[in-house]
Amino acid sequence: MIRVLVVDDEALIRTGFTHILDAADDIQVVAAVPGGEAVRAVHELRPDLVLLDIRMPDVDGLTILAEVRRMQNPPVVAMLTTFDTDEYVAAALRSGAAGFLLKDTDPEQLPHLVRTLARGGTVLSSKVTRAMVDAYLDRGAPEPSAVRLVARLSERERAVLVLMAEGLANTDIGERMHLSTGTVKGHVSAVLSKLQVGSRVQAVLIAERAGLLTPPQDEGTP
């Protein structure tokens, strides 16, 4: 059972997400609270996943994210937002968020996205294009610092990183590469360590900035 905490200052959003997720057999919303109650709820309920509004009037979602990430064995945190061009998105990703979802995400897709997050996968709303991520990270040509970091990775670690960028969890990466989940876990840990980041999303963004995820151009193609 995936235990989820929903944090949003809008009661309608909390109710809607709770109804959608509780309808899934393998997901339980342990609480749905406004921002001011979020940190206490995480401490008391120890959810597996927190869906956290990125902007709230009483407390900033990024502040809550930072507090939760400082906890011992913190839950996975994904940010909720109304806008796919929210200026806080890059800051949330850099602070360790596992991704972010728009509040108008297709209800049929929401349980699947929660499962992906709970398995350690990365989730970015389908409306979040690479152009938007590039704009927040000021990426044009591949950045030398990112290229140097990615150069530290072995060939297999690079392959794992590319599959991480597809949002695949460790078990899915293992199936794709014919590796055990434990082996994949070791590769993911090595990738995070060599790239000097604390989350999969941050690793993926470095890969983007290094040009690792850009398909190579065929010299014979006009």
Side-chain angles (χ1 to χ4, degrees):
M1 185 67 69
I2 302 169
R3 303 174 75 253
V4 179
L5 173 68
V6 178
V7 180
D8 197 290
D9 269 26
E10 296 182 45
L12 186 60
I13 297 294
R14 297 198 302 267
T15 300
F17 271 65
T18 298
H19 284 322
I20 294 168
L21 295 176
D22 275 346
D25 294 337
D26 58 340
I27 300 173
Q28 176 191 11
V29 176
V30 294
V33 300
E37 301 176 25
V39 175
R40 177 190 57 78
V42 173
H43 275 294
E44 293 181 357
L45 301 173
R46 305 305 298 179
D48 303 305
L49 170 65
V50 178
L51 298 181
L52 173 63
D53 189 6
I54 203 167
R55 286 209 221 188
M56 292 176 285
D58 58 342
V59 59
D60 184 77
L62 295 178
T63 300
I64 295 173
L65 172 62
E67 291 191 45
V68 170
R69 292 289 297 171
R70 283 195 295 267
M71 294 179 185
Q72 188 173 8
N73 300 318
V76 174
V77 181
M79 310 305 289
L80 299 173
T81 179
T82 308
F83 309 102
D84 58 338
T85 55
D86 194 304
E87 65 266 26
Y88 289 173
V89 167
L93 297 181
R94 291 193 185 103
S95 297
F100 81 99
L101 304 172
L102 296 182
K103 294 182 183 180
D104 62 357
T105 295
D106 184 343
E108 293 185 0
Q109 288 295 314
L110 187 58
H112 168 70
L113 297 176
V114 164
R115 294 183 188 106
T116 297
L117 288 161
R119 292 198 308 267
T122 299
V123 167
L124 296 176
S125 166
S126 61
K127 293 183 181 179
V128 182
T129 64
R130 176 171 294 186
M132 174 204 152
V133 175
D134 291 349
Y136 280 109
L137 297 178
D138 297 321
R139 172 185 168 280
E143 297 183 10
S145 59
V147 172
R148 285 194 295 271
L149 286 171
V150 169
R152 299 177 178 179
L153 304 180
S154 68
E155 185 176 344
R156 177 159 285 184
E157 288 164 353
R158 289 191 187 201
V160 168
L161 178 55
V162 170
L163 294 180
M164 288 165 60
E166 293 183 20
L168 299 185
N170 292 345
T171 52
D172 302 316
I173 294 174
E175 290 178 6
R176 187 80 67 88
M177 298 183 66
H178 307 290
L179 300 172
S180 70
T181 302
T183 299
V184 173
K185 230 173 166 181
H187 286 317
V188 171
S189 295
V191 167
L192 299 184
S193 176
K194 290 181 180 181
L195 297 184
Q196 302 175 357
V197 295
S199 77
R200 298 166 74 102
V201 173
Q202 291 170 317
V204 170
L205 294 179
I206 285 180
E208 289 230 26
R209 297 172 79 172
L212 184 63
L213 307 182
T214 302
Q217 296 293 325
D218 187 343
E219 293 180 0
T221 302

